[in-house]
Amino acid sequence: MDHTIDIAVANVSKTFATAAGPVEALRDISFTVPPGGFVSLVGSSGSGKSTLLRALASLETPSAGTIELGGQPPLQRVRAHELGMAFQDSALLPWRTVERNIAFALQTAGLPKDPDYVRHLIELVGLRGFEKARPAQLSGGMRQRVSIARALVTRPQLLLLDEPFGALDELLREKLNMELQRIWMHEGITTVMVTHSVAEAVLLSDAIVVMSPRPGRVVDIIEVPFPRPRGTELLRSEEFFRLCATVSDSLRSAEPAA
Ligand SMILES: Nc1ncnc2c1ncn2[C@@H]1O[C@H](COP(=O)(O)OP(=O)(O)OP(=O)(O)O)[C@@H](O)[C@H]1O
Ligand SMILES: [Mg+2]
């Protein structure tokens, strides 16, 4: 498969109409992701990261501006099953095994079952031997990995991840970050990930979009120049800490003065 889908977000704004009046979630957001690129969105709670990701998945319509995925509107990519998502609240079906949770994504996409690909994905996310386990028998990290496998099942060209490793301990998170990097390098999927972890963003991304508190605006786009694959040595290097500090400073500068 050739991966040619880029992302172009241009001047996107989103205001929600609520009973309490309009809520301006996003203001004039612009950024691009080249084909096969990895971009993270960071910003404080309520800065519109999930709203933006949902707009990329055609689950929200921008009030202004345009989003193009490989030159097409998001809905078209979703309909073609070219977009995989694992969202903040994505839950597994508790009564289905790992294998069948992943296969279910094929079924809902109306695609034929492909047991070989399901097996390949289980291997890819490191869950071999757990094919027949139910979600309750898995750890939190394993469940997250099933969510990612499920997002990949339609062989998407685009992957959207909303805090995929949010509730995990540091070490497990680091391990899954390495796995995500490996999967992303292997599959070459254009990826946008929302995270609250600056280290995670720096480790995985080609570029980091720093967003301001509501209304979410782009404060900075910080390029991450480290060569890949990036390993645990990088996590302990001075250059890594320096770039994390740059991102943190940018986040801080976006906060209203106390
Ligand atoms: N459907 C909706 N209707 C009304 N307001 C909404 C809706 N969805 C989001 N909002 C508002 O838009 C703002 C941005 O929300 P969003 O969930 O995108 O933030 P976030 O950056 O993902 O936050 P977090 O880091 O806590 O997940 C919030 O103020 C939220 O209340
Ligand atoms: Mg969110």
Side-chain angles (χ1 to χ4, degrees), residues 1-257:
M1 194 194 320
D2 58 336
H3 292 274
T4 52
I5 297 191
D6 66 335
I7 298 176
V9 176
N11 310 105
V12 164
S13 297
K14 177 69 182 180
T15 299
F16 292 103
T18 74
V23 173
E24 190 184 7
L26 298 172
R27 186 186 290 178
D28 200 24
I29 303 280
S30 298
F31 68 95
T32 58
V33 187
F38 193 121
V39 163
S40 291
L41 308 177
V42 301
S44 57
S45 181
S47 59
K49 305 178 299 294
S50 295
T51 302
L52 183 53
L53 214 63
R54 288 172 56 79
L56 285 167
S58 80
L59 299 168
E60 300 285 358
T61 312
S63 311
T66 58
I67 297 177
E68 287 191 348
L69 307 179
Q72 291 180 14
L75 187 58
Q76 208 146 323
R77 297 294 181 187
V78 172
R79 288 201 176 126
H81 312 297
E82 288 166 332
L83 209 141
M85 321 164 215
F87 279 178
Q88 232 169 342
D89 51 3
S90 53
L92 302 173
L93 301 171
W95 60 89
R96 284 181 184 250
T97 62
V98 165
E99 201 169 62
R100 296 196 54 233
N101 258 286
I102 297 171
F104 185 66
L106 281 173
Q107 198 183 319
T108 50
L111 297 174
K113 288 220 176 84
D114 179 351
D116 285 343
Y117 195 58
V118 171
R119 234 186 327 271
H120 163 75
L121 282 175
I122 289 174
E123 193 119 340
L124 197 67
V125 298
L127 285 177
R128 207 166 83 186
F130 291 89
E131 293 85 350
K132 307 288 180 208
R134 286 174 210 284
Q137 299 167 301
L138 303 175
S139 73
M142 291 164 110
R143 283 198 287 269
Q144 305 269 39
R145 279 184 271 173
V146 179
S147 295
I148 291 176
R150 195 174 53 174
L152 292 171
V153 80
T154 60
R155 302 169 201 254
Q157 305 228 24
L158 289 162
L159 183 62
L160 305 178
L161 302 170
D162 198 345
E163 297 185 43
F165 311 124
L168 303 179
D169 71 70
E170 262 319 292
L171 276 182
L172 184 56
R173 193 174 183 133
E174 202 174 291
K175 187 162 166 267
L176 293 190
N177 282 167
M178 296 304 174
E179 274 173 22
L180 176 59
Q181 174 178 239
R182 180 174 53 78
I183 293 167
W184 170 79
M185 288 179 78
H186 186 266
E187 305 285 308
I189 306 173
T190 312
T191 302
V192 179
M193 178 181 75
V194 170
T195 178
H196 279 289
S197 163
V198 168
E200 181 171 278
V202 172
L203 177 66
L204 292 172
S205 312
D206 297 322
I208 301 170
V209 176
V210 180
M211 291 173 65
S212 71
R214 206 178 54 157
R217 284 150 293 152
V218 175
V219 181
D220 259 327
I221 297 179
I222 298 170
E223 304 281 332
V224 183
F226 306 130
R228 299 182 189 268
R230 298 170 182 168
T232 39
E233 336 66 73
L234 177 68
L235 289 171
R236 293 168 195 31
S237 70
E238 193 154 329
E239 46 183 359
F240 183 80
F241 284 118
R242 249 201 310 271
L243 197 52
C244 286
T246 303
V247 176
S248 297
D249 287 345
S250 175
L251 277 167
R252 222 168 285 125
S253 76
E255 291 291 320

